[in-house]
Amino acid sequence: MFAAWGNIVHRWRYTVLGVMVAGLLAMAAYGVGFENHLSQGGFDDPGSESVEAAELADETFGRDAQGDVIVLYTAPEGKTVDDPAFTAAVTGSLNTLVAAHPDQIAKINGTYFQVDGVVRAAALATEDKRHAIASIAIVGDNDTELTNNFQDVEDAFHVDGVDVQVAGLQAVAGALQSTMSDDIHRMEILAIPAVAVLLFFVFGGVVAAALPLIVGGLTVVGANGIVRIVTGFTEVNTFVAPVVSMVGLGLAIDYGLFIVSRFREELGDGREVKDAVRRTVMTAGRTVTFSATMIVASLGGLLLFPHGFLKSVAYGSIATVALAALTAVTVLPAILAILGKRVDAWGLKFMRKTRSSEEIENGMWGKLTRWVMRRPIKVAVAIVLGLLVLTIPVGKIEFGGINETYLPPDNPTRVAQTEFDELFPGQRTEPLKLVISGAEGASLGQITKQANQAPGLIEKFTPAGASKDGIIVFKAGLTDRNDSSEAIEYLRAIDVPDGATVEITGTPAIEFDSIGALEDRLPLTALLVVFVVTLLMFLTFGSLILPIKAVLMTALGLGATMGILTWIFIDGHGASFMNFTPGPIMAMILLLIGAIVFGLSTDYEVFLLSRIVEAREKGASTTDAIAIGTAHSGRIITAAALILIVVTGSFAFSDLVMMKYIAYGMIAALIIDATVIRMFLVPSIMKLLGDASWWAPQWMKRIQRKLGLGETFL
């Protein structure tokens, strides 16, 4: 099938190139501005008690907008907020906010100052009268509208000559969103030129280096169009944008690197352009297709979780991976068919990379592999023990939700939120809430008396407003919103009088239930993903031992990566240098890292094993096949990993801590996987297994042959 496609692409190269580029550019045009259709939500479990309770409260009383925006006003040294000039400036600002921005600002919820149409609240100033606040509601029915509307008016809260700090839920969300947009822009500015330079040194020529970049660029802009289509059917979180850029650019360039390298290798062996294109598609194209299929299977596991965030990231990343593979086996072979031997044009002779198979097999990677296979036990034991040691910190891993602590300690919004929490502990923007139905009088008192004994409360539960339709909401802040589990478990275990119901909600409870849903579904999801990937690898290579070995090695690498992340971001090593605050890792981001790392690990395993199996099918012994396959793929896998490190490494400069641990997690995983595991552990383990590496039950091999997958390389 792949050989036939290679012939078709060569024969109809201009048609294939024209149709594919036109289609990708059309999708790119449709995707322009797709980020305006993305959502800020999807972090919760929609079927949880906390979300259902929040929906009941919102349906009954309307959305709780008390924590949308908190403006903190601080009087100059030696003065108070009651100073006439200070008061006049603040009230003048507050009195014009709603009228000046009716489409973004709904109302002033409450303030210490005398504002038209608002009841003055003396409790909204500190005892020393140095600080006072105003609570402001933003217009919007969902997280996306709220964040966008806040960002439109965030400068409107400042008052000339007054020390003003802006905190609250929408201020934090706006800061997170702005930081993420800056990260994508930084990647475009830093990573793409760096990758171009790196590719030039990998290939030794401008033309060959440009080809993977072309594939990467077309993939990313085309994927934006697909994401735009998906937004018409379901909520897609804004985090999809950096994921599409990172995964799309990195993988597409990897695939391009793999195919261009194979084409040049075929030319180096003396083949004509037509035959080189056919064999490139038949070998490298087949590998890319199966690799993408396995990565899609890994990312598809995210669809089994109820969270909109994970589903939307899965949609975006799956579309991107599939498009990267499609572009790599259509656009790239067509361009290679047109270029032919001119693929080495505009290069430097002393950097010539087009070498024959014999030269490659006698090169550095071949020598390294033979060195490893002469001492397989020592190498395997040393690496396995090393990876297990790196995994040890995982025992201290903690999960949390996204909040202002993900911003740098000196970020103005985070500083404002911290100061507000300290000065007004009873006005927390993210309290625990009790949604109580069918209780009044003594029964209501019985419930609240028990609730006030919950551990970790910074205040007693008080009504958020009057009751309506037999429902009332009580709320209380926590001393540490990231340490809410004991309080939530206690509240859900209190004795509720007959006829009454008590549901626990609020941001801490929603995050608690969200993490619980992840933990509940993770084991089954992991088993399903491992089963599917193992099956696909068997169908690809005809061995049951190789997939099992691959999964175990991936688990070792993933465990070490998670251990490194825990050591850095929870234990706090390097926190001051990297300007972040140690704390719980966002569970969904960690799961996303796991899915991507598992997919990439499988990707590199397929790249490596495809060359080993190819050599084996041509008659080489197991030992020679390992050496030949590693020699041919070693440089490519290392270069591919280095390119992805450059792409993801740009996010290491992010001000957002969750982007930092994506970057450092990916860097650690790529270094461990592409070098330690693929170049050392795989050859040593396969040498120890010997011919047993190729074992599978005969009935499974018959199924593989019936599906037409038994004959891999001709």
Side-chain angles (χ1 to χ4, degrees):
M1 178 179 73
F2 287 94
W5 175 245
N7 288 330
I8 291 171
V9 171
H10 181 270
R11 182 178 180 183
W12 301 98
R13 48 193 177 276
Y14 291 103
T15 302
V16 170
L17 182 62
V19 170
M20 282 300 302
V21 170
L24 290 167
L25 292 179
M27 282 196 291
Y30 182 72
V32 171
F34 81 103
E35 60 275 3
N36 298 325
H37 299 272
L38 302 179
S39 162
Q40 300 293 324
F43 293 105
D44 53 46
D45 172 12
S48 64
E49 173 190 317
S50 55
V51 170
E52 291 176 354
E55 291 173 349
L56 174 61
D58 288 350
E59 289 170 3
T60 306
F61 302 102
R63 186 179 67 83
D64 183 359
Q66 293 294 321
D68 278 2
V69 176
I70 303 295
V71 186
L72 175 63
Y73 305 96
T74 301
E77 192 69 37
K79 295 187 178 182
T80 71
V81 293
D82 290 329
D83 179 80
F86 186 91
T87 300
V90 173
T91 54
S93 170
L94 291 173
N95 275 321
T96 61
L97 274 179
V98 177
H101 308 282
D103 294 331
Q104 292 85 22
I105 299 177
K107 63 177 180 176
I108 310 295
N109 295 314
T111 181
Y112 172 78
F113 303 98
Q114 192 66 54
V115 176
D116 297 341
V118 181
V119 177
R120 181 176 179 272
L124 299 184
T126 55
E127 288 186 11
D128 62 3
K129 299 298 174 67
R130 279 290 315 283
H131 311 276
I133 60 172
S135 167
I136 299 170
I138 299 295
V139 173
D141 295 325
N142 54 61
D143 293 335
T144 306
E145 291 180 5
L146 290 167
T147 302
N148 290 341
N149 285 337
F150 168 78
Q151 289 180 319
D152 288 344
V153 297
E154 58 183 320
D155 294 333
F157 302 110
H158 297 283
V159 182
D160 290 340
V162 177
D163 182 354
V164 177
Q165 294 171 280
V166 182
L169 299 176
Q170 303 315 318
V172 171
L176 294 171
Q177 169 65 16
S178 298
T179 303
M180 206 173 297
S181 298
D182 292 342
D183 291 340
I184 298 173
H185 184 63
R186 184 187 300 108
M187 188 200 74
E188 294 168 347
I189 297 298
L190 297 179
I192 294 177
V195 167
V197 172
L198 183 59
L199 284 169
F200 174 77
F201 284 103
V202 169
F203 285 120
V206 173
V207 174
L211 297 182
L213 280 175
I214 291 172
V215 174
L218 288 172
T219 296
V220 171
V221 297
N224 289 343
I226 295 177
V227 172
R228 172 68 182 87
I229 293 171
V230 175
T231 61
F233 299 94
T234 186
E235 180 183 53
V236 178
N237 188 275
T238 186
F239 197 74
V240 165
V243 170
V244 165
S245 298
M246 179 177 67
V247 174
L249 187 62
L251 269 182
I253 290 175
D254 277 5
Y255 291 159
L257 177 66
F258 196 59
I259 286 178
V260 173
S261 297
R262 183 61 189 243
F263 178 73
R264 299 175 86 206
E265 185 181 320
E266 296 295 339
L267 292 180
D269 283 341
R271 291 187 172 86
E272 293 301 318
V273 172
K274 179 180 179 180
D275 194 30
V277 170
R278 180 184 66 82
R279 287 186 57 81
T280 297
V281 175
M282 182 180 69
T283 54
R286 179 184 188 276
T287 300
V288 163
T289 302
F290 276 99
S291 169
T293 303
M294 292 176 204
I295 295 178
V296 166
S298 301
L299 294 168
L302 299 176
L303 296 172
L304 300 177
F305 294 93
H307 310 74
F309 171 86
L310 291 175
K311 289 181 183 293
S312 60
V313 170
Y315 295 140
S317 53
I318 287 172
T320 304
V321 172
L323 199 59
L326 178 63
T327 306
V329 298
T330 54
V331 172
L332 201 47
I335 294 176
L336 292 173
I338 293 169
L339 287 174
K341 296 181 180 180
R342 289 171 295 179
V343 71
D344 287 326
W346 296 355
L348 301 176
K349 289 184 178 180
F350 75 92
M351 294 177 65
R352 183 178 65 90
K353 301 295 182 182
T354 301
R355 297 177 296 170
S356 68
S357 294
E358 184 179 353
E359 289 176 311
I360 292 171
E361 290 159 18
N362 292 322
M364 180 187 73
W365 296 107
K367 292 176 181 177
L368 175 63
T369 305
R370 290 187 174 90
W371 179 88
V372 169
M373 288 193 293
R374 285 196 297 271
R375 45 188 66 78
I377 295 177
K378 292 180 180 179
V379 171
V381 170
I383 290 175
V384 169
L385 288 177
L387 293 176
L388 289 175
V389 168
L390 290 175
T391 305
I392 290 173
V394 170
K396 295 184 287 184
I397 199 166
E398 298 175 25
F399 297 130
I402 189 168
N403 53 62
E404 74 279 359
T405 62
Y406 279 48
L407 296 166
D410 55 353
N411 179 274
T413 301
R414 178 175 173 182
V415 171
Q417 187 68 44
T418 301
E419 191 165 349
F420 164 71
D421 287 342
E422 292 174 353
L423 294 171
F424 298 90
Q427 305 289 335
R428 293 293 168 92
T429 56
E430 296 178 310
L432 275 177
K433 296 180 181 180
L434 309 179
V435 180
I436 305 172
S437 305
E440 57 183 13
S443 61
L444 185 59
Q446 179 184 340
I447 292 169
T448 54
K449 182 179 180 180
Q450 294 179 80
N452 286 330
Q453 304 303 312
L457 297 182
I458 201 169
E459 58 183 337
K460 292 186 181 296
F461 278 97
T462 55
S467 64
K468 180 181 178 182
D469 300 332
I471 299 171
I472 189 169
V473 176
F474 281 73
K475 63 181 180 179
L478 290 167
T479 303
D480 181 2
R481 55 148 299 183
N482 289 318
D483 185 17
S484 62
S485 58
E486 288 188 17
I488 294 168
E489 289 168 354
Y490 171 88
L491 291 169
R492 287 179 173 167
I494 64 176
D495 293 328
V496 178
D498 293 340
T501 59
V502 178
E503 295 178 296
I504 316 303
T505 187
T507 302
I510 291 172
E511 289 178 355
F512 177 82
D513 287 345
S514 174
I515 294 170
L518 289 174
E519 293 173 341
D520 290 344
R521 299 198 183 194
L522 183 57
L524 177 60
T525 302
L527 285 174
L528 287 173
V529 168
V530 166
F531 172 76
V532 171
V533 169
T534 301
L535 178 62
L536 289 172
M537 288 191 73
F538 163 74
L539 293 174
T540 306
F541 300 120
S543 165
L544 192 57
I545 299 299
L546 292 179
I548 293 172
K549 173 197 67 67
V551 168
L552 291 175
M553 289 184 180
T554 298
L556 276 174
L558 189 56
T561 299
M562 295 305 173
I564 292 169
L565 288 179
T566 304
W567 187 78
I568 295 173
F569 293 101
I570 291 180
D571 291 346
H573 295 94
S576 58
F577 173 74
M578 290 187 280
N579 197 30
F580 73 88
T581 301
I585 293 178
M586 188 180 178
M588 276 179 276
I589 298 296
L590 201 62
L591 185 62
L592 176 62
I593 293 173
I596 293 175
V597 168
F598 186 87
L600 287 175
S601 180
T602 304
D603 183 47
Y604 294 147
E605 182 79 358
V606 171
F607 282 2
L608 176 57
L609 291 181
S610 66
R611 297 309 298 257
I612 294 175
V613 172
E614 180 179 352
R616 172 73 174 177
E617 290 188 354
K618 289 178 178 177
S621 67
T622 298
T623 300
D624 287 343
I626 296 168
I628 292 169
T630 308
H632 280 275
S633 58
R635 183 176 67 89
I636 305 305
I637 291 174
T638 304
L642 188 56
I643 287 166
L644 261 175
I645 286 172
V646 170
V647 172
T648 58
S650 63
F651 291 105
F653 300 101
S654 173
D655 285 335
L656 199 57
V657 70
M658 71 179 186
M659 297 304 295
K660 287 182 187 291
Y661 60 70
I662 285 178
Y664 287 102
M666 292 288 290
I667 290 170
L670 288 164
I671 291 173
I672 290 170
D673 198 274
T675 56
V676 177
I677 292 180
R678 300 305 146 210
M679 300 298 108
F680 291 89
L681 190 55
V682 170
S684 62
I685 295 296
M686 288 192 70
K687 173 63 176 178
L688 291 172
L689 289 170
D691 290 343
S693 300
W694 316 109
W695 181 85
Q698 286 302 314
W699 65 269
M700 292 183 70
K701 287 183 176 287
R702 284 194 294 272
I703 292 174
Q704 186 208 26
R705 286 192 291 270
K706 272 191 174 182
L707 293 173
L709 301 173
E711 294 297 328
T712 311
F713 305 101
L714 301 175

